[in-house]
Amino acid sequence: MLNVSISPSLKCSAGFSPNYTFFLIMRALFGIGMGGEWGVGASLAMEAAPVRLRGILSGILQSGYTLGYLLAAVAARFLLPAFGWRAMFWAGAAPALLALYIRTKVPESEAWKQHRAATTGEVLRVVARNGSASPILWR
């Protein structure tokens, strides 16, 4: 949840950049946060999809960034001339806030509930015994 809540903040903070260095740091941190959220969101979407459609839906999901480019171009057409480049980053935080809503309101998937470790102690014991969390992830 930390990852989901920090991403919109970092996106917005790029719009408040006082200089180029701050801007680059905020964008790099946002990229890390978005990368962390992308895997979680893709997993949640694929677990909810029917098994027979997962291949095609995964392809559509992974190529969905092009729709983002199109929406950014439309937003630039209207926001950029009227409000400047900073407003583009502030508006860009809205979809990230939608992800925050989804992560707090959508219940955990059945697959996750079935395979989750009972306690944090169990996870740490497996990691200590095997040097990795793979047995938890692959059972």
Side-chain angles (χ1 to χ4, degrees):
M1 288 305 296
L2 180 65
N3 194 21
V4 179
S5 58
I6 285 179
S7 290
S9 303
L10 292 170
K11 180 88 167 190
C12 276
S13 67
F16 293 107
S17 296
N19 56 46
Y20 193 62
T21 303
F22 182 85
F23 176 78
L24 286 177
I25 291 169
M26 292 302 104
R27 294 302 292 159
L29 291 174
F30 172 76
I32 293 168
M34 189 64 193
E37 183 54 33
W38 182 258
V40 173
S43 296
L44 182 64
M46 290 302 104
E47 286 175 350
V51 175
R52 65 181 177 76
L53 295 176
R54 285 184 184 168
I56 189 72
L57 291 176
S58 176
I60 292 169
L61 177 69
Q62 296 299 328
S63 64
Y65 68 90
T66 54
L67 179 61
Y69 286 150
L70 178 64
L71 293 174
V74 170
R77 168 67 176 90
F78 297 105
L79 290 178
L80 206 54
F83 302 105
W85 66 270
R86 294 174 187 273
M88 293 293 294
F89 288 98
W90 300 330
L97 292 173
L98 176 63
L100 180 62
Y101 172 80
I102 290 169
R103 293 295 297 149
T104 57
K105 300 299 181 195
V106 173
E108 293 293 350
S109 72
E110 287 303 315
W112 183 84
K113 289 178 184 177
Q114 292 171 3
H115 297 296
R116 72 174 263 189
T119 65
T120 304
E122 181 184 341
V123 173
L124 295 175
R125 279 191 295 281
V126 170
V127 170
R129 186 172 56 238
N130 299 310
S132 114
S134 301
I136 292 172
L137 300 174
W138 300 113
R139 60 172 156 154

